[in-house]
Amino acid sequence: MLQLSVISKLYRTSEIETGALRDVSLSVREGEFVAVMGPSGCGKSTLLNILGLLDSPSSGSYRLFGEEVSNLSEAALTQLRRQSVGFVFQSFNLIDDLSVADNVEVALIYRGVPVRERRKRVAEALEQVGMAHRARHRPGQLSGGQQQRVAIARALVARPKLILADEPTGNLDTGNGAAVMGMLLDAVAGGTAVVMVTHSEGHAAMAARTLRMLDGRLIGETRVAA
């Protein structure tokens, strides 16, 4: 589904060059769950940003759904991201002035989904994450665990082929963290690929593969026995 080949990301100033990623190669199949681990500053979030078409590599090849990303215009990249990629962040990134339902619906408005279909899919997504009863509440009226459920509903409602999750359980207690992991596993069972950055060894163990990063490089991989 996606393939990185010798990807590097360099940041340059007049005095220094910093390598956020160096010669990273990996592939992710449809419906695969991949965890990414490593110390702060090792390049994990940069990797997610490149996978999610939010940033561009300095060199190397990135093929998504068989297409070389570097050949696409900004408009085409935006369209591909909106249609195929869902994001879940540690900080939730909900819009405070919108209701729960409206926060989820935003993902479909960007994709041009008709109103009737939007409302149907929003209701289904909130039911899926156990938040239908909070549809008219605003984010500030919810707990952290509830806000993350809404964020996952927002990621799922567009039925993306790829979900990128950056520390999705980092701000949650054990119970809510387990619930969020259950939702991501359900998405994988439905055929969605998930790439998740995490500091939790226990949550990483739920993935089919765990990639280890250090200083912008992939230094190891652990696979779950079949």
Side-chain angles (χ1 to χ4, degrees):
M1 188 183 78
L2 69 82
Q3 185 169 17
L4 298 182
S5 298
V6 201
I7 286 286
S8 292
K9 179 64 178 181
L10 305 178
Y11 295 99
R12 296 183 178 90
T13 68
S14 58
E15 298 180 355
I16 193 170
E17 177 180 277
T18 302
L21 293 178
R22 295 187 181 276
D23 299 331
V24 172
S25 297
L26 70 91
S27 60
V28 177
R29 302 187 308 275
E30 181 177 343
E32 187 176 19
F33 191 0
V34 178
V36 182
M37 301 192 74
S40 297
C42 72
K44 303 185 301 296
S45 292
T46 300
L47 175 62
L48 279 197
N49 286 340
I50 288 175
L51 293 178
L53 309 176
L54 297 173
D55 201 356
S56 301
S58 301
S59 61
S61 169
Y62 177 21
R63 300 186 69 84
L64 183 60
F65 309 123
E67 189 160 20
E68 176 57 51
V69 167
S70 63
N71 294 334
L72 300 178
S73 66
E74 283 298 322
L77 288 172
T78 298
Q79 182 70 7
L80 181 58
R81 182 171 61 248
R82 288 177 175 176
Q83 294 294 336
S84 302
V85 185
F87 297 89
V88 182
F89 303 98
Q90 179 179 356
S91 56
F92 318 136
N93 285 14
L94 301 177
I95 302 170
D96 292 337
D97 293 337
L98 297 182
S99 69
V100 161
D102 289 343
N103 264 281
V104 176
E105 188 177 8
V106 163
L108 297 178
I109 292 172
Y110 286 146
R111 291 165 172 82
V113 177
V115 174
R116 182 176 296 180
E117 176 68 10
R118 289 204 308 261
R119 291 173 179 169
K120 176 177 178 289
R121 287 168 64 172
V122 167
E124 290 173 348
L126 290 176
E127 186 68 33
Q128 183 178 357
V129 301
M131 289 299 294
H133 64 299
R134 297 283 193 172
R136 304 322 309 173
H137 287 69
R138 296 199 175 185
Q141 297 172 293
L142 306 178
S143 68
Q146 290 171 328
Q147 289 187 59
Q148 192 62 294
R149 286 171 182 264
V150 175
I152 289 177
R154 182 182 57 193
L156 294 175
V157 72
R159 301 167 185 166
K161 298 176 182 178
L162 172 66
I163 288 179
L164 301 174
D166 195 353
E167 292 283 354
T169 64
N171 286 331
L172 305 180
D173 60 30
T174 301
N176 280 305
V180 165
M181 290 303 300
M183 294 171 205
L184 293 177
L185 288 168
D186 287 344
V188 170
T192 298
V194 174
V195 179
M196 176 186 70
V197 165
T198 183
H199 284 293
S200 168
E201 292 282 355
H203 292 163
M206 298 180 187
R209 285 190 289 153
T210 298
L211 307 177
R212 308 276 175 173
M213 294 190 69
L214 184 66
D215 297 334
R217 300 181 185 274
L218 289 178
I219 61 168
E221 176 180 316
T222 303
R223 291 180 179 266
V224 174

